[in-house]
């Protein structure tokens, strides 16, 4: 399980350092792709395979499923870490997430989310909940 929040950045060659705590769990390779909510997802190879199995079971006759497959798979890149523990963020993924320089990298259970710090810190970021909203949202799941 991936946990924790880290502030980092990308360099002039669009490389980001994956936090060592996460890197150790990824085993030298990972998949980077567009996530939901204008962030990027990093998956271990094993978890990526599990996601592909789930997606493969979806009915491709549904136009929304096809759109999701395009969003999720067409933009995925297989990444290997360099000696400094960096991966390259391709220009299209960088643009999608609004990444300029500063990043917020957070563990999100089975994946890692990579956010533009500017997007994450924006006052209108609907992906951050206060504790009251959090409690209300999870109550429907009996949490």
């Amino acid at each position: 399980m991936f946990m924790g929040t880290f502030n980092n950045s990308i360099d002039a060659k669009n490389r980001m350092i994956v936090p060592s705590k996460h890197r150790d769990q990824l085993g030298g390779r990972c998949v980077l792709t567009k996530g939901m909510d204008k962030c990027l997802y990093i998956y271990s190879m094993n978890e990526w395979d599990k996601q592909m199995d789930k997606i493969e079971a979806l009915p491709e006759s549904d136009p929304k499923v096809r759109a999701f497959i395009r969003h999720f798979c067409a933009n995925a890149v297989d990444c290997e870490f360099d000696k400094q523990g960096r991966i390259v963020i391709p220009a299209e993924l960088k643009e999608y997430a609004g990444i300029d320089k500063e990043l917020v990298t957070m563990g999100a259970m089975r994946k890692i989310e990579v956010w533009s710090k500017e997007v994450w810190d924006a006052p209108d970021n609907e992906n951050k909940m206060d504790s009251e909203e959090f409690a209300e949202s999870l109550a429907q799941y009996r949490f």
Side-chain angles (χ1 to χ4, degrees):
M1 292 287 173
F2 296 103
M3 302 183 299
T5 301
F6 304 87
N7 290 301
N8 50 348
S9 60
I10 60 171
D11 65 15
K13 295 182 181 179
N14 293 337
R15 298 174 297 193
M16 69 168 278
I17 294 176
V18 175
S20 63
K21 179 180 177 182
H22 295 328
R23 211 170 41 239
D24 293 343
Q25 296 178 64
L26 293 169
R29 284 182 62 211
C30 62
V31 173
L32 175 68
T33 192
K34 285 182 178 179
M36 305 295 173
D37 307 316
K38 295 293 186 184
C39 71
L40 304 179
Y41 290 165
I42 297 175
Y43 286 99
S44 69
M45 299 309 289
N46 185 47
E47 192 60 37
W48 179 255
D49 290 342
K50 289 178 186 178
Q51 293 298 318
M52 292 301 96
D53 289 344
K54 289 178 187 177
I55 291 171
E56 196 169 47
L58 297 173
E60 285 195 60
S61 58
D62 183 335
K64 290 181 180 179
V65 169
R66 292 193 306 272
F68 173 73
I69 290 169
R70 288 182 204 110
H71 173 86
F72 198 66
C73 299
N75 298 288
V77 291
D78 188 344
C79 301
E80 287 190 39
F81 297 106
D82 67 12
K83 292 177 183 178
Q84 286 77 36
R86 298 175 299 196
I87 59 172
V88 174
I89 300 177
E92 184 171 323
L93 294 180
K94 185 179 161 195
E95 182 179 324
Y96 166 78
I99 293 171
D100 183 33
K101 179 79 174 153
E102 301 299 313
L103 304 172
V104 177
T105 304
M106 60 186 69
M109 295 180 57
R110 294 186 180 102
K111 65 186 175 298
I112 299 164
E113 294 184 357
V114 179
W115 289 83
S116 157
K117 183 164 177 44
E118 185 177 335
V119 171
W120 181 253
D121 288 344
D124 62 345
N125 182 353
E126 296 174 0
N127 301 297
K128 294 163 81 171
M129 287 188 199
D130 66 29
S131 56
E132 188 174 314
E133 284 179 301
F134 181 73
E136 288 175 13
S137 295
L138 289 180
Q140 68 180 321
Y141 302 110
R142 299 183 183 177
F143 187 78

